[in-house]
Amino acid sequence: MRKTASTSPARTGKQRLLASCAIAAGLAAIALGGPALAQVAGSGSIVSGSGTITPPGPGATTVTTTTPQAIVHWTPTDTAPTGGAIDFLPAGNTLNFVGTGSYTVLNRFVDGSGGSIARQIALNGTVNSYVGSTTGPRGGNIWFYNAGGILIGATGVINVGSLVLTANDINTTGGLFGPGGTIRFNGASGSTSAITVNGAINADVPGNPGGSYVALVAPRIVQAGAIRVDGSAAFVAAEQADIRINNGLFDINVLVGAEGGTAITHSGTTTGPAHQQGDVDQNRIYLVAIPKNDAVTMLVSGQIGYDDAVSAQVDPDGAVVLSAGYNIVGGQIAGNPVGNAAANITINDTIFRSDTAARASGDLLAQPLATVPAGGPVSVPPPPHLGRVIIEGNGLLVGDRSATFNIGAGQLGGTTGNLELRSTAGNASMVVSGGQFFAPFGNLSVVAGRTVLADGSTQAGSASLVVAAGGQLLADRISVNADADGGVDAGGNGLTGRGGT
């Protein structure tokens, strides 16, 4: 007969005690942010500089650096070679950085063997940087690099002193900064990895107005979120580039351009506080796309510029610079094009909230796509840029091959200052057909330059201004000039006059 052993009362009590302790421990782990509340989906180690990485509470990881510069390697839990973006910082979780002074932390994403990751890294939670402690003021320069690109999701929020997001590895020989404070971006040949912003970025340092920066550097850049910087921002589409920041003004030297196609898409808002005349800081928002071997295009819409910058007198420092095919020197578009192909700029529904200078080595086209929304009560007001191309300040729009500005029925264009539409070696054309263009306090100039032919002679381009189908155009002074020296249009007739319809 089978014998059955029974558990003694003492052993039964011990098992019950162990079970109850296990349950309590499990509940405590959940309450204290154990595996069920992962702070970051991966592990990190400081490989240069010194400091600690700790999870102080539920949903939070804190990197504390005790050196002015540090490099952190992060290995995500999800390291599969294929799939969508890796959710490294899930929504509801926080990654904090703490340091002293103007510290800089480079965060590199690597696989288990220390190699690069081909997929995008997603930051869907919140990233903060502080000086002193997590209760201290905002500060620090936080850089993120991933070869496969970075995605700031719709729930992602970054609150830092300054920020770099890049798909191009950063040369750290001799430190994070090279000679003259240059940041050296060296991406992989043929890469089309993207930096994509769908969430919010806030960069500022209390007590240092205009001293922050945001730099997005990659072969592809998509800005569809909300970026606010108390300083300068640069979106640079290239494989390799050197960027130097000097009192808010950038030098952007692209060494290897981006693969052909749409290199930059801006449809969100990029803004910041304006500073009155006399401030030391000179802030700019730069969009730079340089072609490698085939033509690239910059697509611009949304809202770009600084608060309350309604004229050059109000905001002498804040400006928007769109450069397709040209480097930036001292905050200005350089004189000679670079790259092995043309670069184009297409401006659709956009409000530029500052003086704006744009130059394309290929074609420049400004043209709203939508129509201005009709009035009437709505639960959610439409974005103010729909159906409009507006410059709050002075505008210089240059296309070397062609420059075109079209306003159709139900659409609106204009400036609060002067506007010059120029083609340096081709055709310049403005057409207002059924829509409205207003520059009531400034001059409107449509200018076509001369092309130097192979035999050394020159040939003038064509310049035209057409108002049709009930369109309206108003400017303090209007000029159409097909030869900057001769002052004539394509038909040989000078055209200047006061504003009208």
Side-chain angles (χ1 to χ4, degrees):
M1 183 176 74
R2 183 184 301 273
K3 294 183 178 179
T4 303
S6 60
T7 306
S8 67
R11 187 174 180 181
T12 301
K14 183 178 181 180
Q15 287 178 333
R16 289 173 179 172
L17 178 62
L18 290 173
S20 62
C21 289
I23 294 171
L27 293 174
I30 294 174
L32 294 176
L37 281 175
Q39 294 82 27
V40 296
S43 59
S45 62
I46 297 175
V47 298
S48 178
S50 61
T52 59
I53 301 176
T54 57
T61 296
T62 297
V63 177
T64 301
T65 176
T66 56
T67 51
Q69 297 183 8
I71 300 175
V72 180
H73 280 188
W74 298 99
T75 301
T77 302
D78 178 2
T79 58
T82 60
I86 297 172
D87 192 4
F88 175 76
L89 184 64
N93 291 270
T94 301
L95 175 59
N96 294 321
F97 293 89
V98 177
T100 57
S102 182
Y103 65 96
T104 304
V105 179
L106 169 59
N107 299 272
R108 280 193 178 122
F109 292 96
V110 297
D111 62 18
S113 60
S116 61
I117 297 174
R119 293 162 59 192
Q120 267 193 325
I121 293 292
L123 303 177
N124 293 306
T126 301
V127 177
N128 301 312
S129 68
Y130 304 94
V131 174
S133 70
T134 54
T135 60
R138 185 181 299 175
N141 311 306
I142 308 303
W143 301 358
F144 289 97
Y145 156 69
N146 180 54
I150 297 170
L151 167 66
I152 309 302
T155 59
V157 179
I158 299 182
N159 305 306
V160 294
S162 291
L163 176 70
V164 170
L165 301 176
T166 184
N168 302 339
D169 200 2
I170 294 177
N171 184 347
T172 60
T173 303
L176 299 185
F177 298 91
T182 300
I183 308 175
R184 300 155 292 176
F185 298 89
N186 297 301
S189 178
S191 171
T192 56
S193 295
I195 300 299
T196 304
V197 178
N198 294 327
I201 294 172
N202 303 293
D204 65 87
V205 176
N208 187 24
S212 294
Y213 61 83
V214 171
L216 313 183
V217 183
R220 295 289 186 266
I221 295 171
V222 179
Q223 202 309 66
I227 295 179
R228 186 165 180 82
V229 55
D230 189 358
S232 293
F235 308 154
V236 181
E239 282 183 7
Q240 297 183 20
D242 290 341
I243 297 179
R244 186 172 71 94
I245 306 169
N246 183 18
N247 286 331
L249 296 179
F250 279 46
D251 292 327
I252 300 174
N253 181 30
V254 173
L255 305 173
V256 179
E259 296 288 342
T262 302
I264 297 179
T265 301
H266 185 290
S267 60
T269 60
T270 303
T271 64
H275 298 291
Q276 301 299 313
Q277 189 169 5
D279 279 6
V280 174
D281 301 302
Q282 299 182 9
N283 302 143
R284 303 283 187 271
I285 296 171
Y286 306 90
L287 276 66
V288 178
I290 305 295
K292 183 178 180 181
N293 296 313
D294 300 303
V296 297
T297 298
M298 177 190 304
L299 299 178
V300 181
S301 62
Q303 300 178 56
I304 310 175
Y306 294 92
D307 299 343
D308 303 321
V310 296
S311 71
Q313 287 72 38
V314 172
D315 183 21
D317 295 332
V320 177
V321 178
L322 310 180
S323 179
Y326 289 86
N327 284 324
I328 302 294
V329 178
Q332 306 295 325
I333 299 173
N336 297 312
V338 293
N340 299 319
N344 308 310
I345 298 175
T346 298
I347 300 169
N348 296 131
D349 306 83
T350 310
I351 294 178
F352 296 100
R353 299 200 176 278
S354 302
D355 287 353
T356 299
R359 185 168 186 180
S361 62
D363 303 312
L364 182 144
L365 171 64
Q367 176 176 290
L369 295 180
T371 57
V372 176
V378 291
S379 57
V380 178
H385 55 271
L386 291 183
R388 300 170 170 89
V389 174
I390 302 292
I391 299 174
E392 297 179 353
N394 298 315
L396 174 62
L397 306 180
V398 181
D400 290 351
R401 195 163 54 192
S402 70
T404 307
F405 199 143
N406 294 329
I407 301 292
Q411 297 175 340
L412 180 64
T415 69
T416 61
N418 301 319
L419 174 66
E420 180 174 321
L421 178 69
R422 174 184 287 269
S423 176
T424 60
N427 301 325
S429 170
M430 172 173 277
V431 177
V432 182
S433 179
Q436 299 174 320
F437 182 91
F438 296 124
F441 307 108
N443 301 328
L444 170 63
S445 303
V446 182
V447 181
R450 283 182 171 269
T451 302
V452 179
L453 303 178
D455 61 3
S457 62
T458 61
Q459 175 179 306
S462 65
S464 62
L465 171 61
V466 176
V467 181
Q472 294 181 299
L473 188 148
L474 175 66
D476 185 59
R477 184 176 177 85
I478 302 169
S479 66
V480 180
N481 188 345
D483 181 350
D485 296 324
V488 296
D489 63 16
N493 301 308
L495 176 58
T496 60
R498 300 289 294 178
T501 58

